[in-house]
Amino acid sequence: MEGVQSAMIASNNFPNTKSRPLLMISVNDDEDLHFRKAEFDPKICPISCPRPCEKVCPAWAIPPISSQITTGVIADKCYGCGRCILSCPLGLITEKSYQSDVSTINSLLASGQVDAIEIHTGRNHQQSFQNLWNKIGPEVLANLQVISISFPDMDHETIPFIQSLQAIMTENTSLYSQFKGIHIWQADGRPMSGDIGKGASHACIQLATKLLQQQPLNISSTTSLDNVHQTTIDFLDHHNHHLNELNELKESKHFIQLAGGTNNYSFSMAKEVELIGKPGFGGFAFGGYARRQLGKYLNELEKNDSGAKIENHPDVLKYCMKFANELVQSVKSS
């Protein structure tokens, strides 16, 4: 909540801000790459180690030995990309997973300060998703403007999988009819890799292309279930009974958004394959790439002012806002 309040104050004080930005919280329904932290004890690292972990970390979360920081990984900076785990020659780095707390989620949803939610899910997570949705769904539908679902490519199982999630969210038709917002389906092609380079964008471009070609979110559509995991088949069978009733509701707006590997190359690549302007195309989520670019300036701030907050450095904040505007301008003007 402290982060929410700080962001709101900063946005109110920033010049040329025409309206309050939408605020999104991110949660997970089960173990997920986005909800983990790396950790290790630097005291057991060999003195001769070249520390490849420090070099590959895109978040500057692994401090150099000279910093005299006693922790191996600064948890507040780590966002769970896992590159350090793979780079450690002795396998000393482990990961710790975190599960979103339902009571905290509902408290935030009811606060009136949150506008959108992003739910990270994955293969065979239908039961976990339903368990989470049963606890937060009423608050989500009553209070939010955007529901975003982030999911990986599951080959031939992807489309029936997201259809099963849609069926879960819309099963209570009277409750769902209250929702006046939009659905964003995040095609998480190559998670947390946008800062690596142009090649990282291929996976999300391919996934979004597949989804937009097949239009899986038309609730009256049918999908072949050959070779689809039995978990997905069971959930579709279980929820199909309410789809005809759901057809009578106002059609919701569904958009496919590119995520996982997006960067400054993604717009031109999407344009080349004619994704831009295609019905259902919902833009880009520039998570890892934007974090890396802005992190350079935040890291420099902290070198000179330990614990510095960007809202207290208006020149840096203005530059970061300029970068963000330029990054999305091509998409917004297309």
Side-chain angles (χ1 to χ4, degrees), residues 9 16 25 50 81 171 191 216 234:
I9 293 172
N16 302 321
I25 61 172
C81 72
E171 184 169 27
D234 291 343

Side-chain angles (χ1 to χ4, degrees), residues 14 293-295 297-298 310 314-326:
F14 198 80
Q293 300 305 311
L294 298 178
Y297 301 96
L298 299 179
I310 191 172
D315 291 342
V316 179
L317 179 58
K318 287 179 182 179
Y319 181 85
C320 291
M321 289 292 290
K322 180 176 180 292
F323 165 80
N325 285 329
E326 291 175 350

Side-chain angles (χ1 to χ4, degrees), residues 2-3 10 31 91 99 114 127 157 239 260 278 297 303 309 317 326:
E2 180 183 354
E31 285 198 14
Q99 185 69 41
V114 175
Q127 189 60 61
E157 294 186 30
H239 291 282
K278 185 181 282 290
Y297 301 96
K303 285 182 180 179
K309 295 183 178 181
L317 179 58
E326 291 175 350

